[in-house]
Amino acid sequence: MNDKVFHKVGRRPWEWRGKPDGDTERRRRRVPGTKRHWLKWRDVHNDKSLTRERVLADKMPLWWTLGLGAVVLVTPFLSNTMIGVVTIFCIYAAINVLWTLIVGTAGIFSLATLAVVGAAGYVAAACNVYLGVPWPLMFLIGPLTGLVFGAILAAPSTRLDGLYYALLTMGVAEICRVFILQLRALTASGGAITNVDGFIPEDWFLQRPGLLLGFAGAFVLLLGALLVWRLVNSERLGMLLRVARASREDEAFAEAVGIDFRRARLMVFLISSAALGAVGAFYAMYFGSISPQIFSLDTMLLLFAMMVIGGLGRAEGAVLGAAIVTFIDKGLIELGPPRIILVALCMIGVTIFAREGLTGARAQFRDFRNRKSGEARARRTEKGGEAMPEEATEVHDKQELYYRRFNKRLRDRLKQLITPDLIAEHKKDPLGHHSDGLARVLNYFRRGEMADKYVIHRMKPAEERFRIMAISGERGRPPRVVDDREYTDIKEAYHAVFLLRVNDLMES
Amino acid sequence: MPELLEVQQLSAGYGPLRVLHEVDLTVRAGERLGLVGLNGHGKTTLMRALTHMTSWQQGSIKLDGAEIGGTRSLGAGRRTSGLVRRGIGVAPQGDAIFPGLSVRKHLECGAHTKTAWRTRQERIERIFDIFPPLRPLEHALVGKLSGGERRMVSIGRMLMVEARLYLVDEPSLGLAPKISERVMTALWDLPVEGAMIIAEQNVALLTGRCDRVIGMHAGRMRGDVGHVGLG
Amino acid sequence: MDLGLVVYAMNLAAIYALMAVGISILWSSVGVINMAHGATFAVSGYAAWIFTGAMKPVIAGAFGTSAMATLALAGALVASALIAGALCGLVIYLLAFLPIHDKPNFQVRALIITLGLNIATVQTLLWYFGPRNQGLPKIFGFGRWEVLGTRIRYDQAGTIIGATLIMALTLAWLRYSRKGLEVRAMMQNAEGAAYSGISRQATALPVLMLTGALAGMAAALLSQTIFVSPTSGTIPLVKGLTIALLGGLGSVSGALIAALLVGFLEAIIGAVPFLGQRYVLFGTFIFIIAVLVIRPRGIGGLLDDTRE
């Protein structure tokens, strides 16, 4: 009959929830060789249906799979130019993810990321062209160069902080560019090394199969970068740094509790530098050449814009930003110079409105909504509410809030009922028939919480001596004596309790 | 006497932390009010809430009948300068000083009204009369002064303009007993018209000198302690 | 060292100081690393170019070719550059300061916004005017003085004198005026400044306009030596930033000393036969990196002897 379903406020009816069988044991598959689970399933209790439900607590893997899967599925059907654009997107996204590792996880504000890529690319390309090293070995030379270059760059990072280090790395990139431009051997080609061998066969170059192969390689590269990011962040190294970052104001604190976060930061920096070296080797192979353009400020700024638009310090932000900016910069090439202006305007707009880029917008919106609703609740309940805006957002059980509000209103109304007449009435006859007003007040008192509830204590059995005590409200802890007055008449004691309660009510 | 400051149901805190709980407070014009309480019981937060330096607050603060409080969640300190210009003088905890300015320049900073700026020469002289140790240090950098001298500069800066309400937070904090005694004596002997709230941990320094002493405990007012309870 | 080298070094130092002091003041008082300083520089140069181009016939009609005409042209050039710089400061205030100055991550976000402004402005100039270099009228003329056997070009002397004058005016303003006192107070302790009745919003605007005007002045002076082009702001920006950092961000005297040091260093590297002009940037960066690794707070850290 009644097929209308009512959902709890805040519940998402479209969200799939598993219905685990309560009798069988729960089995979760682990990633081979580790103790990790593939997905973060959590069992929750549904208050309404009183059943156990299984929800996916962390949905990021789902979005990653969907997004990356879409890229793989769509790309083969695109035009030749667009395949090139997607390939470049993959390379940039890989660089950005590794950069995120440096900026976000390690907390080192390095701007020399592209310099590492470029240096590794140059060394690998030079080995290939001038020394005749076969191309698969470039994947070894690249990371090694990246590691060495990263080690040189990392040395001053322990000494300089923030801006100073950013500037230094910018200087290093500039020095690299000038150095390459001044090499005598390369002046003929304007500093570029051309005719680099690669994994794409020569006769496939710029043909559709070659482009697809290039895309496949770049996609594997992106997956590799994401894997590095994931490994670093989920292993001991990343966790150490997360702890250190939680107490960023006080790095001394992290050191005092035994976290060698400086070393951890350096390790992360070195790992990502080596990975960036591999990207550099790939870069040289894919384009078949490498030019000093890679060291230039403009390219660096373009990549920085990607990270900023997506959200600094998040892998998903790095990839999303790379997608947006690469599409504007390479996909809308017929727009001409204004497309860089468009990128810059995107950057300004996102930064003005979003705290942490596009991928942080959701959390920011939630914070905003919580704050506003808290403020509104506080305003609405100004007459009867007891919850502060900040508190109202903290109290999870909304029923609690409404109860407090109700209680406050009730007390306000009862306060008006209390008059000298009413007290006199109670004094005359503490038990027995009461007027409507007194009955209401007494009913309220009876319903009060156990903690600090007053009781009458007969001091000796069969003796008419009474004291007033208050119950502690905690198991095992005896009641406390309220005052040392003794009453010889039980009615007097009743009335004294009544007065105490009235007093408490009027004070609240 | 008319009521200068009227605080009703003021709650305030930092981030998710709530430090003040529904504080009520009334200050009459010309009154000297002592605020005692242990460390971490909300004295400084009350001072900061009155000048909008906390990150959020709720409740009502009325200065001379005009509402200056309100619910805010963002932008600590955004309205502080405006409130100072409306007549609240502040000597904050830990002396918010300008280390690179000389004592004279530092005092000039305090003269934020037009008249005060025009007559800053006389005003600085007056401060030097109140705190004689500062006179020889007129051109010394504040960053090189000792703690007691800094405190004097900080209070002097507050006194450059006639405020209606002075807030002095922990004038004896971190000072040697002798020096803190001297600072307090100077503070009490001030020829100021406006009301003054002094937060202080050391009750002995307040005894017998305030019009009223109020205790603070766990972010709530503990009523008038009066002079008897402190003896 | 011969006098020509000194003059050349002073010339460089003057331009660098104008940029670096602006960046340094802005950082310490408002908390913005102004990456749009280069854009301000370029815009001021173009504004001066357009304005003097428009005024040339008018001035020629009024004064003919007398000395008065040159003077009027110089006035028009400098004034237009200053005004354009100050207006750029206003734009930065409206976009990068006002909407976000009490939000979280203000400093990083302001840096990013000014960086975006820089890119957008430079690209707009490139798009609209093209990459061609534009020559501005030479307000100091083409002559040379013979002093102690070396020749000093008028534009070099004019740049040094003009920059010194402007710097002196700025420093005097900071030192003696009431607004300058407020700016200095805010540079040293923002919370204390608020307690002294100094409003951050009201102080940030003049500071941004002043630093913009300084960049405009630098553009006007440098236009006498090199041409104006859309990307002409990049090198002064990078140099200004590095020198401001070398001076220890926030220290005006540190920035001045750093500008002098770098100016002389560049002149000397350029003059040494086996290094030459190509290694100037290289050498400067190495020098700055070395100094920063040894003294992380820059030169300002050496000068600052106040207690923590």
Side-chain angles (χ1 to χ4, degrees), chain C residues 262-286:
Chain C
V262 171
F264 273 95
L265 188 76
E266 291 196 355
I268 291 167
I269 292 177
V272 171
F274 62 88
L275 286 175
Q277 208 61 37
R278 303 191 300 183
Y279 287 98
V280 165
L281 207 58
F282 203 82
T284 322
F285 268 125
I286 298 232

Side-chain angles (χ1 to χ4, degrees), chain A residues 159-160 167 175 351-352 355, chain C residues 104 109 245 282 292-294:
Chain A
R159 197 134 164 77
L160 301 174
L167 178 93
I175 288 171
T351 320
I352 287 182
R355 210 164 45 197
Chain C
R109 283 165 77 181
L245 282 169
F282 203 82
L292 285 182
V293 168
I294 298 164

Side-chain angles (χ1 to χ4, degrees), chain B residues 78 85 97-98 100 112 143, chain C residues 102 178 188-189 191 197 307:
Chain B
R78 185 164 178 181
R85 280 169 188 271
I97 56 151
F98 313 118
H112 54 75
Chain C
D102 51 358
R178 188 174 167 192
Q188 295 178 13
N189 187 335
E191 197 175 304
R307 287 189 203 178

